[in-house]
């Protein structure tokens, strides 16, 4: 079965630095890979989606890369702020359109210190 | 525009009981998915409903069942509750041609 691995240890960085989070998966590549943010006690919030034929996607201070050869996605937050502190979830979408199901990693907790 | 809403917010049940959780999707969305999230883990896919039919199902026993109504709202039912069913239950909605999912705040279920 498909396995998704994210850094289980919390990532602590200083404000203003770039945070880089890793998502590795086994078996076959998904058609789409998504990143979500989750705050304690809240539901995940969609951030970015990248397709299997895209290498990189950007949105404001966020950047996602997708390497289907390495079976890895990297998620970057540049000029990080304390408000970026949260758990970030990688999710793989298998199937076509919105009929596919999302398979989530366990998430990586990011702590940005002022 | 209201986002995804879920009720109740919290629920405490005893082993063996049955529970029903409710979800209203974001306006314009026709697909509802349910997830179970244990503490410290990512959400696990339970099932997905579209046009009042269960379209996909994850690795959950038949004790977990659902329903979607003509107005696209949905219910998740869990029978014969076990202690291990204690978790945050998340509902997510999406529309036919978009791939991102919008999550509700979740229902925290505690089984004692």
């Amino acid at each position: 079965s498909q396995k998704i691995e994210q850094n289980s240890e919390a990532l602590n960085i200083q404000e203003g630095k770039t945070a880089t989070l890793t998502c590795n998966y086994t078996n076959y590549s998904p058609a789409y890979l998504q990143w979500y943010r989750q705050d304690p006690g809240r539901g995940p919030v969609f951030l970015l989606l990248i397709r299997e034929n895209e290498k990189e996607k950007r949105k404001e201070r966020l950047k996602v890369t997708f390497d289907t050869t390495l079976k890895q996605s990297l998620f970057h937050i540049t000029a990080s702020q304390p408000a970026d502190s949260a758990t970030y979830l990688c999710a793989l979408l298998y199937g076509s359109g919105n009929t596919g199901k999302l398979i989530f990693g366990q998430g990586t907790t990011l702590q940005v210190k002022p | 525009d209201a986002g995804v809403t879920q009720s109740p917010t919290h629920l405490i049940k005893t082993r063996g009981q049955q529970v029903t959780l409710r979800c209203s999707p974001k306006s314009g969305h026709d697909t509802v998915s349910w997830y179970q999230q244990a503490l410290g883990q990512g959400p696990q896919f339970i099932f997905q409903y579209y046009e009042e039919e269960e379209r996909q199902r994850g690795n959950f026993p038949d004790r977990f069942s659902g329903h979607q109504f003509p107005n696209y709202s949905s219910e998740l039912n869990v029978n014969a509750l076990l202690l291990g069913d204690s978790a945050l239950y998340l509902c997510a909605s999406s529309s036919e041609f978009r791939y991102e999912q919008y999550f509700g705040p979740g229902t925290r279920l505690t089984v004692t």
Side-chain angles (χ1 to χ4, degrees), chain A residues 82-102:
Chain A
D84 295 327
S85 299
T87 295
Y88 291 86
L89 298 160
C90 166
L92 278 54
L93 181 65
Y94 291 92
S96 58
N98 76 340
T99 65
K101 62 181 183 182
L102 276 178

Side-chain angles (χ1 to χ4, degrees), chain B residues 8-96:
Chain B
T9 308
H10 296 89
L11 204 50
I12 300 176
K13 289 286 188 178
T14 304
R15 264 182 308 176
Q17 287 188 314
Q18 177 263 343
V19 68
T20 297
L21 310 182
R22 295 176 176 81
C23 170
S24 289
K26 183 176 167 63
S27 177
H29 286 183
D30 55 10
T31 302
V32 172
S33 302
W34 286 92
Y35 295 84
Q36 180 195 67
Q37 187 174 27
L39 210 58
Q41 300 297 315
Q44 275 198 286
F45 176 78
I46 302 175
F47 43 52
Q48 183 182 82
Y49 277 86
Y50 173 71
E51 291 189 342
E52 302 178 54
E53 298 279 333
E54 183 183 291
R55 183 158 63 179
Q56 290 230 35
R57 190 177 182 92
N59 294 326
F60 280 80
D62 292 343
R63 297 187 297 110
F64 290 77
S65 63
H67 190 76
Q68 186 179 35
F69 299 94
N71 67 352
Y72 308 119
S73 67
S74 177
E75 288 182 349
L76 164 66
N77 301 293
V78 187
N79 294 323
L81 284 167
L82 303 173
L83 294 179
D85 295 332
S86 296
L88 180 67
Y89 287 85
L90 295 161
C91 167
S93 71
S94 54
S95 63
E96 185 177 358

Side-chain angles (χ1 to χ4, degrees), chain A residues 14-53:
Chain A
Q14 207 65 36
E15 182 176 7
K17 301 292 185 185
T18 295
T20 298
L21 285 67
T22 305
C23 173
N24 294 297
Y25 60 92
T26 60
N27 299 339
Y28 48 96
S29 291
Y32 306 91
L33 188 147
Q34 305 182 14
W35 284 87
Y36 287 78
R37 168 185 172 140
Q38 187 172 26
D39 292 285
R42 310 285 291 271
V45 174
F46 172 77
L47 296 175
L48 277 171
L49 174 150
I50 188 165
R51 292 173 170 76
E52 61 179 334
N53 60 352

